[in-house]
Amino acid sequence: MSKGKLQKFAEMETFKNVFQYPFGVISEVPFDMKGHWREQYFHNDNPIVLELGCGKGEYTVGLARVYPDINFIGVDIKGARIYTGAKQALEEGLSNVAFLRTSIEIIDRFFDANEVQEIWLTFSDPQMKNYHKRLTSTFFMNRYRHFLVDGGIVHLKTDSNFLFTYTTYMVNVNSLPVLFRTEDLYGNELKEGAKTAENEMDEKTREILGIHTYYENQWIERGLNIKYMKFQLPSEGELKEPEVEIELDDYRSYKRPKRSGLAMSK
């Protein structure tokens, strides 16, 4: 580990807005704040919104600035990434921000039933080889149900056509209510007469989606379409995986290695 990372980890141990519970820790020490985030950390009754795979926390911090009456928690396993957003939130005095360093596979160990209102998935790894690792798979949707309110909103913002297509199939096969969907968020504003209940963007959505991360700007500069969808996740009903083959992304996402020589994947 580099000297810079070691310094960040040491400094982050002092951050009051960061909670570090990788798998080895949570398996031995229960997370006592589960079900008590509002009373023990935020000290309010405001809604809680998670950003899963938050990276440097740019979206988490950006959302917290726009909505001071909502509590935001960024989750990522990479401490060196979380450091950036956590430090910025402290410097700006954002009391409605927290960061949790852990594996998203065990996210349901940190939040109790109905404790979370919304989930953001921003530029998640598409995981083209293994659907169990996709953050929009039914594997994860069933975990989100453990703590998301009935009909809670899931947001997906991605550069990956593969992940967006997969998620579209997953949503459709399970008849999940879609609130908004577009395959080209910035490059193709809705044409006159093309608006529907599914793709009409309200002002709140427009304001939120105006927040850009560093990597998102890189993808936009490369000419990649940014795709966005938000849908509701009911608490009841069996979720089924879509049985379809999807064409793999034909490019390498920013600083991500090529994953497969296959042309298609489920």
Side-chain angles (χ1 to χ4, degrees):
M1 186 178 293
S2 68
K3 183 178 180 181
K5 281 189 177 181
L6 288 173
Q7 290 176 337
K8 286 181 179 180
F9 278 120
E11 185 178 357
M12 201 162 62
E13 289 287 345
T14 69
F15 288 0
K16 63 182 181 180
N17 62 350
V18 175
F19 302 88
Q20 303 192 64
Y21 279 81
F23 184 81
V25 174
I26 193 64
S27 62
E28 298 178 3
V29 182
F31 188 69
D32 293 335
M33 206 158 61
K34 178 179 180 179
H36 303 286
W37 281 88
R38 289 181 179 87
E39 60 188 85
Q40 293 186 12
Y41 178 77
F42 292 111
H43 307 295
N44 60 49
D45 293 323
N46 296 335
I48 292 178
V49 176
L50 305 185
E51 184 190 4
L52 303 182
C54 68
K56 295 183 178 181
E58 295 149 297
Y59 229 81
T60 301
V61 172
L63 288 168
R65 290 194 196 106
V66 175
Y67 297 103
D69 294 330
I70 298 178
N71 302 317
F72 295 94
I73 304 173
V75 182
D76 204 292
I77 191 59
K78 299 290 186 179
R81 294 176 184 171
I82 285 178
Y83 169 89
T84 302
K87 187 176 180 65
Q88 188 171 16
L90 289 174
E91 290 175 346
E92 295 184 23
L94 296 173
S95 60
N96 61 329
V97 178
F99 288 91
L100 174 62
R101 186 172 78 87
T102 194
S103 299
I104 299 174
E105 286 83 355
I106 57 172
I107 189 63
D108 52 328
R109 299 190 186 190
F110 299 90
F111 301 94
D112 211 348
N114 300 312
E115 192 169 15
V116 175
Q117 279 63 49
E118 298 185 20
I119 292 173
W120 277 85
L121 306 171
T122 51
F123 302 96
S124 308
D125 190 321
Q127 295 289 350
M128 292 185 284
K129 288 185 178 181
N130 188 347
Y131 79 88
H132 281 106
K133 293 185 177 181
R134 293 173 207 153
L135 296 188
T136 58
S137 69
T138 57
F139 176 82
F140 278 101
M141 291 295 147
N142 282 317
R143 274 163 173 68
Y144 304 156
R145 280 177 159 182
H146 292 166
F147 54 80
L148 192 64
V149 297
D150 185 23
I153 296 175
V154 178
H155 303 260
L156 172 67
K157 194 176 184 187
T158 182
D159 63 304
S160 169
N161 185 65
F162 178 90
L163 182 60
F164 193 75
T165 302
Y166 164 81
T167 306
T168 298
Y169 279 119
M170 188 281 297
V171 164
N172 289 342
V173 77
N174 291 292
S175 300
L176 303 182
V178 176
L179 304 179
F180 182 85
R181 182 184 184 280
T182 177
E183 296 185 17
D184 193 353
L185 184 59
Y186 304 121
N188 182 24
E189 284 295 316
L190 296 174
K191 297 178 180 178
E192 195 64 33
K195 292 183 178 180
T196 68
E198 184 177 291
N199 68 14
E200 187 168 5
M201 188 186 297
D202 56 59
E203 286 305 312
K204 178 181 177 181
T205 303
R206 192 182 303 278
E207 184 177 24
I208 292 173
L209 295 175
I211 301 170
H212 291 187
T213 67
Y214 171 78
Y215 293 120
E216 180 176 0
N217 287 329
Q218 297 292 324
W219 295 319
I220 292 173
E221 289 175 6
R222 291 172 62 189
L224 301 179
N225 289 355
I226 304 301
K227 304 159 183 66
Y228 170 72
M229 178 192 317
K230 67 175 177 178
F231 58 91
Q232 292 179 289
L233 181 60
S235 297
E236 301 297 329
E238 181 182 357
L239 295 176
K240 301 177 181 179
E241 272 296 311
E243 292 293 330
V244 293
E245 289 192 343
I246 304 170
E247 185 176 358
L248 301 181
D249 293 334
D250 59 358
Y251 66 93
R252 297 185 183 188
S253 290
Y254 190 71
K255 291 187 177 180
R256 288 179 182 154
K258 190 173 181 181
R259 293 171 181 76
S260 174
L262 299 176
M264 307 285 285
S265 181
K266 289 187 176 181

